[in-house]
């Protein structure tokens, strides 16, 4: 019996260089000398970066960004996840004029920063408030018209 194993290469993930173990953390970077000729390229090692916190997996909650410090050293800065904006209760669009924060940070925020100075401010958007006002006005007008027609019918 003969067994054949076929390993499919991951296209575009590995470099042309041979793997040096450690998950290919040591990458080779081409730097051309002062001549500017790419044929006389010198390979130099790229600085290895490690996480600065104990969470060592590349998950959504462990986002990092490469930053070069004024001393020329590369470091990783942790990036917080983006928060969802407060939404209108009717149309579910983001409310304007209210900062986008994590829910527990609204507790520390002043009241005038959490709402807008208008009816339903901080709860409904301006378009929905306008439609509510128009709807209420038209309902009241319909009631008045109904009452007028009823009184005219009684008068006859």
């Amino acid at each position: 019996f003969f067994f054949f194993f076929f390993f499919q290469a991951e296209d575009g993930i590995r470099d042309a260089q041979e793997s040096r173990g450690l998950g290919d953390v040591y990458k080779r970077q081409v730097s051309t000398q002062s001549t500017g000729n790419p044929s006389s390229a010198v390979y130099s090692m790229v600085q290895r970066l490690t996480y600065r916190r104990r969470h060592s997996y590349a998950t959504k909650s462990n986002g990092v960004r490469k930053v070069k410090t004024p001393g020329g050293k590369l470091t990783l800065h942790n990036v917080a996840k983006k928060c969802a904006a407060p939404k209108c209760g009717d149309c579910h669009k983001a409310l304007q004029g209210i900062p986008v924060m994590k829910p527990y940070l609204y507790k520390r925020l002043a009241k005038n920063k959490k709402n807008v100075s208008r009816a339903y401010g901080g709860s409904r958007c301006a378009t929905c408030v306008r439609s509510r006002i128009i709807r209420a006005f038209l309902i009241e007008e319909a009631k008045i018209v109904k009452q007028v027609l009823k009184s005219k019918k009684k008068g006859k």
Side-chain angles (χ1 to χ4, degrees), residues 2 7 62 98 140:
F2 292 100
F7 295 103
N62 196 23
I98 299 170
E140 289 299 316

Side-chain angles (χ1 to χ4, degrees), residues 31-33 35-42:
S31 63
T32 57
Q33 296 201 343
T35 58
N37 187 3
S39 63
S40 64
V42 176

Side-chain angles (χ1 to χ4, degrees), residues 70-94:
K73 182 182 170 188
L74 270 177
T75 60
L76 290 179
H77 280 191
N78 287 58
V79 179
K81 289 200 286 187
K82 287 190 175 179
C83 308
K87 305 277 194 288
C88 171
D90 293 343
C91 65
H92 305 291
K93 289 183 181 173

